[in-house]
């Protein structure tokens, strides 16, 4: 599994990264570093890869969990402005303070990692569909005519000789707003 951790804006980017990894077939989750030092490190195993996000590389909450992650035996990747270089020359914020350009760079890097894993594992559209059963993606990838089709007694059917008035009664009775006319 891939475990993403980060504090503040980096944590928000970490949540998005974990969601992208998970939705593209790489089991992952976000670990809040402050919760980690209070017991949630029990979710991490020695076979996990931990990606620690921090623009400065000096985020106290993240630094506090690193020794325990090493003791657990998890592999560590640091995505900071000066290690796995996702740094930017300056923030878009006119004050140069609010994490703007740096979070965008981390987000893009996280997406690139997820897509590299997707490609390396030869992840298919049908596998993608398994993780997206809801919403428009789920409908597009998984929904079949059989899933929404009414059949048997639930299907409003009349023959060609049925009067319009009687057809309207069938439409109303079945509640579908339509009737199939068969010969």
């Amino acid at each position: 599994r891939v475990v993403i951790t980060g504090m503040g804006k980096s944590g928000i980017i970490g949540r998005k990264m974990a969601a992208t990894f998970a939705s593209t077939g790489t089991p992952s989750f976000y670990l809040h570093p402050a919760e980690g030092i209070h017991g949630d490190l029990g979710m991490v195993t020695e076979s996990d890869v931990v990606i620690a996000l921090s623009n400065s590389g000096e985020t106290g909450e993240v630094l506090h969990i690193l020794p325990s992650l090493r003791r657990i035996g998890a592999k560590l990747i640091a995505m900071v402005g000066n290690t796995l270089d996702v740094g930017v020359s300056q923030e878009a914020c006119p004050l140069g303070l609010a994490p703007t350009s740096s979070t965008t760079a981390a987000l893009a890097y996280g997406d690139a990692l997820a897509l590299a894993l997707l490609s390396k594992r030869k992840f298919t559209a049908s596998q993608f569909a398994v993780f997206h059963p809801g919403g428009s993606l789920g409908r597009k990838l998984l929904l079949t005519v059989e899933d929404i089709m009414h059949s048997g007694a639930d299907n409003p059917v009349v023959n060609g000789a049925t009067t319009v008035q009687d057809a309207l009664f069938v439409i109303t009775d079945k509640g579908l707003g339509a009737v199939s006319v068969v010969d």
Side-chain angles (χ1 to χ4, degrees), residues 12 15-16 29 44 51 71 81 86 92 127 129 140 145 161 182:
I12 293 168
R15 285 179 187 87
K16 194 278 186 193
F29 63 91
V44 181
I51 300 176
R71 278 193 287 283
V86 291
Q127 291 170 311
K140 181 176 160 183
V145 171
V182 296

Side-chain angles (χ1 to χ4, degrees), residues 62 69 100 140:
V62 174
L69 290 170
T100 49
K140 181 176 160 183

Side-chain angles (χ1 to χ4, degrees), residues 62-148:
V62 174
L63 293 176
H64 281 78
I65 63 172
L66 295 181
S68 293
L69 290 170
R70 285 189 192 102
R71 278 193 287 283
I72 291 167
K75 292 107 193 126
L76 263 167
I77 297 172
M79 278 180 57
V80 297
N82 59 7
T83 302
L84 182 50
D85 190 4
V86 291
V88 295
S89 58
Q90 72 181 60
E91 297 290 357
C93 167
L95 301 174
L97 300 173
T100 49
S101 302
S102 59
T103 53
T104 301
L107 186 62
Y109 203 92
D111 283 348
L113 285 173
L115 296 181
L117 284 171
L118 177 143
S119 178
K120 175 90 173 145
R121 291 188 353 271
K122 296 177 179 23
F123 193 71
T124 66
S126 60
Q127 291 170 311
F128 190 84
V130 170
F131 300 117
H132 295 84
S136 63
L137 278 178
R139 282 191 303 278
K140 181 176 160 183
L141 297 169
L142 295 175
L143 192 65
T144 64
V145 171
E146 183 179 32
D147 293 332
I148 57 174

